[in-house]
Amino acid sequence: WPRCLRTGAYAIGTALSLRLVGSVLPTFVELPAAWRRSSTAIAQDVEEQTNIDVYRRASPAVVSVEAGEGSGSGSIVPPDGLILTNAHVVGNSDTVQIRLADGREFTGDIVGFATSRADLAAIQLRGNPQNLPTIDIAPVDAVQIGQRAFAIGNPFGLEGTFTVGIVSRIDPERGLIQTD
């Protein structure tokens, strides 16, 4: 993910550690000695720091959903273990297997689908699990075109993916928000 900086130089993403930067840049820039041995990534700007903060705060509430032949992601919304996911992930299953980001595993029951044509399903975790991480859902009227949209998930068995886009359209008649 090359990113052009004001100086015209290229940085290769925020995941570069200073150890890597220290091994690549010494011929171009003299880094402080303490930086060259650090393994901590440093955000390049406020936007990158926001992305890092959003991922750190929200990703614990993102779960992997295994349903028959389908799999995908979901988010724990209230602390009682209700998970929202896509209807196409659960398909016709009555129960699914859930794996939390911390490694805990649960069985979940499909408890509902959106009444509209929205691709939305609800799963309730069995066993009254405790200390579940949750994520808040913003009210629809709080979302505006042009705002950043963050997607954290587990597509195709790749856990903990993160991408950023924007809200590109709001359809109030159908209650849909389109992101790029």
Side-chain angles (χ1 to χ4, degrees):
W1 308 314
R3 177 183 210 141
C4 185
L5 303 176
R6 285 182 212 178
T7 61
Y10 285 90
I12 304 174
T14 60
L16 285 177
S17 71
L18 288 177
R19 181 174 302 162
L20 179 58
V21 172
S23 68
V24 173
L25 292 181
T27 58
F28 303 107
V29 177
E30 182 61 34
L31 296 175
W35 286 17
R36 281 182 253 155
R37 299 191 189 257
S38 172
S39 62
T40 304
I42 294 182
Q44 301 297 312
D45 58 26
V46 173
E47 185 175 307
E48 284 184 359
Q49 189 60 52
T50 299
N51 294 347
I52 292 166
D53 291 343
V54 165
Y55 184 82
R56 283 185 183 154
R57 289 178 48 207
S59 64
V62 176
V63 301
S64 292
V65 179
E66 298 288 332
E69 294 183 26
S71 67
S73 309
S75 298
I76 304 170
V77 183
D80 69 353
L82 184 70
I83 296 170
L84 296 181
T85 188
N86 295 105
H88 74 266
V89 169
V90 299
N92 295 323
S93 300
D94 292 326
T95 62
V96 294
Q97 295 304 307
I98 303 293
R99 186 174 57 258
L100 277 60
D102 65 10
R104 290 184 284 169
E105 295 186 4
F106 299 94
T107 297
D109 296 304
I110 310 305
V111 295
F113 292 91
T115 56
S116 65
R117 296 180 57 115
D119 185 19
L120 186 65
I123 302 166
Q124 182 64 54
L125 293 180
R126 291 182 181 174
N128 195 25
Q130 301 295 308
N131 302 318
L132 295 174
T134 62
I135 190 163
D136 294 328
I137 296 179
V140 173
D141 59 351
V143 178
Q144 297 180 33
I145 293 173
Q147 284 183 311
R148 283 196 289 173
F150 302 95
I152 301 171
N154 305 310
F156 313 112
L158 303 171
E159 293 190 16
T161 66
F162 180 74
T163 190
V164 179
I166 63 164
V167 173
S168 54
R169 181 173 185 271
I170 298 173
D171 184 341
E173 291 177 15
R174 297 190 301 173
L176 300 175
I177 300 169
Q178 178 183 353
T179 62
D180 69 344

